[in-house]
Amino acid sequence: MTSKHRRSWIPKIIKKRVCTTFVEDSFSNGALCQCGGERETHGSVALGDYFSTAIVNHWDSAQHSSEYPTDAFGELQFAGASKRHSYFLRLSWDTPPSMVYTLMTAHWGLPSPNLVVSIVGGEGRTKVKTWVREVLRQGLVKASQSTGAWILTAGLREGVGRCVGEAVRDHATAASSVSLNKVVALGIAPWGLVHNRQQLVNPQGSFPAKYYVQNMSRDSCCLDNNYQAFLLVDDGSVGRRGGTGFRAKLEDYISHQRTGIWGSGSIDIPVLCMLISGEASMLERVDLSLKNSMPWLVLAGSGGLADFLSDVLDNLSSATVAQSSGEGDGEAGPSVDLKDKVAERVKKHFPSEPETDKLVERALSIYQNRDFITIYHGEQEGPNDFDTVLLKTLVGASKHRASVEGSPYNEELKLAVTWNRVDIAKSELFNGDIQWRYEDLEDSMTDALINDKPQFVRLFTENGLNILDYLTYGRLESLYRSVADGTVLYYQLQRRLVERLGTTASAPASNLQDSASKVSAENMQSGPVTEISLFEVARVLELLMGDICQPFYYDVLGLEQISSKRRALKRATKLLRGDCLYRGQRCLYPWASLFIWAVLQNRSEMATFFWEMTGESVLSALSGCKILRELSKLEAEAENKLSMKELAQKFENLAHDMFSSCYRSNESRSFTLLIRKSPVWGGTTCLQMGMGADARLFFSHDGVQSLLSQIWWGDMKRNTDVWSLLLTFFCPVLCYTNIIAFRKQDDQHQGEEEKPTEDGQGKDSDSLYGHTVFSFSDIKHIEADAQGAISPRSATIKGIPHPRRPPKRPFIVSRWRQFWFAPVTAFLGNVLMYFLFLLLFAYVLLVDFQPSGPAITEYVLYFWVFTIVCEEIRETVFLGTRTWRQRVRVYIQDVWNKCDLIAIVLFVLGVICRMFTWSYGFGRDVLCVDYMVFTLRLIHIFAIHKQLGPKIIIVGKMMKDIFFFLFFLMVWLMAYGVANQALLYSYDPSLDRIFRRVFYRPYLHIFGQIPVEEMDVGKQWDMPCTDNVTLIESGQEPCRTEYSNWLVVILLIVFLLVTNILLINLLIAMFSHTFSEVQDKSDIYWKFQRYTLIVQYHSRPSLAPPFIILSHINLFIKRVIRKVPSIKIHHFVLQLRGKAANRLMTWETIQKEDFLTAQNTIQKSSDSERLKRMSVKVDGVLKHMTESRDFDHRLRALENEMEYCSNALGWIVDTLAQGSTFKPPRPPPTPRDSFVSSSTST
């Protein structure tokens, strides 16, 4: 908001008060008005009525002052104080409090309070007692900081206001900058009492106004620089204390507002008035607020009115209370005794007050509402547990305000949630003494979720709240509607909502400055749009997750069968206009839904807790990583973007560590975990989600790489030598010998690297479901003979103890298939045939490319490329379960697929041009360039190699450095080339020579090719030249310019220094930095990219181009003609149902619990946790020492009393002994000195 807009609307709706009628002050001899102003400043004089029969003798603000647009508002800068600006506003005493509250929260940006403490009394220059200062510093401000409170005082540098300002300053200095709850000190002072107030006056607003304070050490009526905002209440008077009426109205208004974000809390904002000292005139203020059920906390011993009220409430008997509170006239009957006692205490505490009767009536009225008053003996109790005192005060007041239905502890729980004091909740409410019901925790759970209080969410979950009953789809929608505006999630939801509604997004209704007539509390307070539904959430998740999984919540909305976005939009719009019966249904996966909700809002602690509670922990962590990394790309603010990336990395680390725990426990089950199809996360798998989330660390895990290697080698053992593969490839009969080692059937079930301790479990029915078989002969068996199979990997993984296996093939057929259907064999065949393809291409270009027409070898090349094109079409259109648009989009995203497209397009263009005589040369040139593109494609093929793969990644990273280097080089080349050409030749219109000498010749200078004869006129140059302009324009070489040749030599020297020394060494340094940075992580990058290559060759036919056309014909017959469904279409996906899925889920849950237990153990053993526990223990010791000190005081007092009683009894005994009235039957007892004797004996 600009300052111009700030100035425009505030004076239209906020007014000030100016005294316009002079009412003579009898003590000033007619010079001053009763408002405190001089006679000259008033427009009229109030003498009497029209008949001059009644003289006006009392000044009243409502009658004798008028309203004008305010002239003091904006920001306040205290001169000499290096603090941020404070806000201030001069306003009339009858300004609506709703308008002021919205101004403070919506436009000044003050956080909505969870508690408001209004300090009454202690004004003026009265000295504040030391223990009161400690209560304010150690008790009130500290408790307010933990609860996120507003503290209301006069805001002046005097009395209690100054103490509060200093305490807020000290706590703000000591508190961490990331503290969520900050204390807001708000000063509400009379405008006419503020010193130097004229410095604040500016009808256009001050941004900022400089405020000077002469003496900062002495008490004065100057504004305190430790306050965040000031409301300067104007009643037209000067130098008078007042304005309490507006403050009371503001307190009452705030007490009816809801806590939390957008008022989403479960309770109204608690408001507490705190009385310190005070004058007798404040009895009316206390009485009126008590009648509005406002709780009060009275500091006994602070002096003045506070001592009077504590004396009245503590010492009057309960019997008298019962009598005085009965029905009937207050003057009659039993209340006379009560009145007398109150009158005695009024005379005792206020001896100089003339009107004691009014004070007694006010005191009696206060006494009848004594349930809302809590007496705090701060001098005796100490300030340590002041937050608990505040809580109990508010709870006690709320219990008397209205009957609490259900549990009597509801108000206390809601206050603890509002203040985010989980320690109070654990010690006072969840200690095992109270049986909590679901209805008691429901509202508080919503409050904790919306306002980001994960500790309370954990506490409620552990104490009786059933998340299945709590989270319905309607409540999930309400949680998404509570998203704070300004966040990237809010904007994305609003954009999807606008698309559904077909209208433009309306701005939040907080434009207070648009028109003064539109001002109201509803218009000023913005809130979330309530039309957000699960459809918008599903659209946002579809944007973030992409094509990795199926859309979320489509099954709930009945859209799972609709693939078109436009049709889904129309169907959802029609559904949401109806009754929306789905909103009453229970959420199918509540913890996963809450996890997504927390992750989308970047709530770290909340999302981590939901991850702990949700199932499928590895996949959930990877999904959170994916969402956050995609969300960070949409985030504009750097700080939020960084926090999202850090949280995404945290979830990737959790997925890695969690899978490590699973892999150590059971290798084969962990393999199943990686490829299991998840019903929770839209049918995706851990491998697919990890690939989409760019989770390189997860893919670098040994368990993931072991699975990929097992898939890569198929039924062959992973230690097979490459030479034996090559030999068998050229001589296929060798596959029946022992030159290649194949895994046995038990190894296929157990996994090659199965732990010895698990061998005994291999054939047990309970563990069969967890053993993954990656036999590609089995895949072909299933494809041919078991079309109803669920698993593409093996028929053993169905949760069936004794699954049906396909009929066993003969050894000759099975061994042949085991060798040729392995991805490593397909890869080897493609590499060898690709080399042959490049040799054929090179032979055609160099030897057999005839202008007369294509030769036989050229036709073979055309057919070869045609088979390559067929394979690319198969990969794009006929592979996978996605729609063709999704498949094309995924295909285009891959860099090497783009390279293939470029190569194919260039080849087609070259062949077309080659067929025509007029474009034969151009076609040959295109094919030559195309050969380079096809050759560069080898880089991707060798990415599978363990040594070459990481180096290829390093080269790819260095290519980015080259582009930066070329930018600097081109700038310097152009600067030098143009200057050099202009200095050497005064006139040369030939564009060909200009481009060569401006760009090409300086580039050759870098590599040492410097034509000295041409550059230096002192050298002889054999090139014939001319100075004739006509000949030069005809194309002849112009002669060199001699007079400026010395400058050409200097520029050459400078150019070589900059390029050969500076830029080249800069490039070397950049390469070195990139190499050292990527070298450590290159292995991780390579393992990540290896997955893509394995997936690609796993889905490829066994034959390589050009023989792959046979496989394509076979697939066409099977898929199109015979309608045989594909098995490899579900590559790396395993469908588990029923008992098998439950067992795997249970096993993963057990591993997660063990993992979390180990993490908690490590955390507890850390130095920070030890220091925290030590700090708690030290605090406990100090508390016990304080209590023991209290016991010492009590024992001393008891000893003094006993000593007095002993002396009194001794005096009585002596008196009776000296008298002769009666004779005692025996002498008085003598004192026993047992303690003394025992002490002396020791």
Side-chain angles (χ1 to χ4, degrees), residues 48 64 95 221 291 411 483 622 946 1015 1135 1194 1213 1242:
H64 301 136
T95 304
C221 290
K291 290 179 179 178
E411 289 298 322
V483 174
L622 291 173
K946 191 173 182 60
M1015 305 287 292
Q1135 181 76 43
R1194 293 180 182 179
V1213 170
T1242 56

Side-chain angles (χ1 to χ4, degrees), residues 1117-1134:
I1117 294 173
K1118 279 187 176 182
R1119 305 291 175 257
V1120 179
I1121 299 177
R1122 296 178 57 195
K1123 304 295 183 181
V1124 178
S1126 174
I1127 297 299
K1128 282 191 176 182
I1129 197 173
H1130 301 285
H1131 56 264
F1132 296 93
V1133 175
L1134 179 65

Side-chain angles (χ1 to χ4, degrees), residues 269-427:
I269 298 175
V271 178
L272 174 69
C273 294
M274 184 174 174
L275 180 61
I276 300 177
S277 183
E279 301 174 354
S281 58
M282 293 182 181
L283 270 176
E284 182 181 2
R285 162 90 159 89
V286 177
D287 184 27
L288 292 176
S289 61
L290 284 174
K291 290 179 179 178
N292 291 328
S293 302
M294 189 73 67
W296 280 77
L297 180 66
V298 178
L299 260 65
S302 60
L305 183 60
D307 289 354
F308 167 71
L309 290 179
S310 63
D311 187 10
V312 170
L313 296 176
D314 286 343
N315 297 327
L316 294 185
S317 64
S318 59
T320 311
V321 171
Q323 294 172 354
S324 64
S325 60
E327 295 183 359
D329 190 2
E331 298 290 334
S335 63
V336 175
D337 186 22
L338 177 62
K339 275 190 175 183
D340 294 339
K341 292 181 179 180
V342 172
E344 289 178 4
R345 283 165 174 78
V346 169
K347 293 179 181 178
K348 174 183 175 183
H349 290 277
F350 306 109
S352 60
E353 287 292 331
E355 300 179 352
T356 57
D357 293 339
K358 292 184 178 180
L359 296 181
V360 171
E361 292 298 328
R362 291 290 183 186
L364 288 173
S365 178
I366 291 172
Y367 196 74
Q368 291 176 356
N369 295 308
R370 63 192 176 279
D371 294 331
F372 295 100
I373 301 178
T374 301
I375 306 299
Y376 178 68
H377 300 276
E379 195 170 8
Q380 300 176 6
E381 299 180 25
N384 293 328
D385 297 329
F386 196 77
D387 49 358
T388 308
V389 174
L390 294 179
L391 179 66
K392 291 182 178 179
T393 301
L394 293 169
V395 170
S398 63
K399 288 180 180 179
H400 291 96
R401 184 181 299 118
S403 60
V404 180
E405 297 180 358
S407 175
Y409 302 96
N410 275 346
E411 289 298 322
E412 190 171 356
L413 174 62
K414 291 178 180 179
L415 281 173
V417 173
T418 302
W419 296 355
N420 201 18
R421 294 302 303 271
V422 71
D423 53 340
I424 295 178
K426 286 182 178 180
S427 60

Side-chain angles (χ1 to χ4, degrees), residues 787-1026:
Q787 299 180 13
I790 296 174
S791 167
R793 204 65 57 225
S794 170
T796 61
I797 314 173
K798 293 184 185 180
I800 305 173
H802 302 285
R804 180 177 65 86
R805 300 286 296 174
K808 191 174 182 180
R809 297 179 183 272
F811 172 75
I812 296 177
V813 178
S814 63
R815 181 55 57 87
W816 180 269
R817 297 170 72 91
Q818 284 176 341
F819 175 75
W820 287 105
F821 292 155
V824 64
T825 309
F827 171 76
L828 184 62
N830 276 274
V831 170
L832 294 176
M833 297 307 295
Y834 199 77
F835 273 111
L836 290 177
F837 167 72
L838 292 178
L839 290 175
L840 177 63
F841 202 165
Y843 174 80
V844 169
L845 287 177
L846 298 175
V847 178
D848 205 8
F849 200 81
Q850 303 172 6
S852 58
I856 297 178
T857 55
E858 195 170 345
Y859 281 117
V860 173
L861 179 65
Y862 295 165
F863 177 74
W864 204 316
V865 174
F866 170 74
T867 59
I868 294 176
V869 172
C870 291
E871 176 59 20
E872 294 296 326
I873 294 174
R874 186 197 67 85
E875 288 184 4
T876 307
V877 181
F878 298 104
L879 185 63
T881 58
R882 304 184 181 99
T883 62
W884 68 272
R885 290 182 179 178
Q886 293 175 338
R887 288 194 288 263
V888 170
R889 185 165 60 246
V890 172
Y891 179 84
I892 294 296
Q893 289 175 354
D894 188 77
V895 176
W896 294 108
N897 288 335
K898 295 177 183 176
C899 180
D900 292 337
L901 285 177
I902 293 173
I904 292 170
V905 169
L906 288 177
F907 188 85
V908 172
L909 178 63
V911 170
I912 292 174
C913 294
R914 182 251 184 281
M915 295 300 178
F916 302 99
T917 306
W918 57 272
S919 59
Y920 166 80
F922 177 75
R924 189 175 187 278
D925 297 340
V926 171
L927 289 175
C928 291
V929 174
D930 189 37
Y931 180 81
M932 292 181 59
V933 179
F934 272 114
T935 307
L936 291 176
R937 190 65 171 81
L938 282 173
I939 296 177
H940 178 53
I941 294 177
F942 290 117
I944 194 67
H945 196 269
K946 191 173 182 60
Q947 279 72 36
L948 289 178
K951 300 301 182 291
I952 292 173
I953 294 170
I954 294 176
V955 171
K957 295 288 184 181
M958 288 182 175
M959 290 298 294
K960 298 179 181 179
D961 296 336
I962 290 181
F963 283 111
F964 288 108
F965 168 77
L966 289 178
F967 170 74
F968 291 112
L969 182 62
M970 285 302 299
V971 171
W972 189 242
L973 275 176
M974 179 176 290
Y976 168 74
V978 172
N980 180 69
Q981 173 69 9
L983 290 172
L984 274 176
Y985 303 99
S986 60
Y987 179 70
D988 186 3
S990 175
L991 292 179
D992 180 62
R993 284 197 298 263
I994 288 176
F995 277 105
R996 287 177 180 271
R997 290 171 178 173
V998 169
F999 294 104
Y1000 182 59
R1001 185 172 63 186
Y1003 180 74
L1004 294 178
H1005 290 355
I1006 301 175
F1007 303 98
Q1009 297 186 17
I1010 305 173
V1012 181
E1013 307 85 16
E1014 183 181 356
M1015 305 287 292
D1016 189 358
V1017 295
K1019 302 288 185 179
Q1020 185 66 31
W1021 191 28
D1022 298 334
M1023 176 69 70
C1025 61
T1026 180

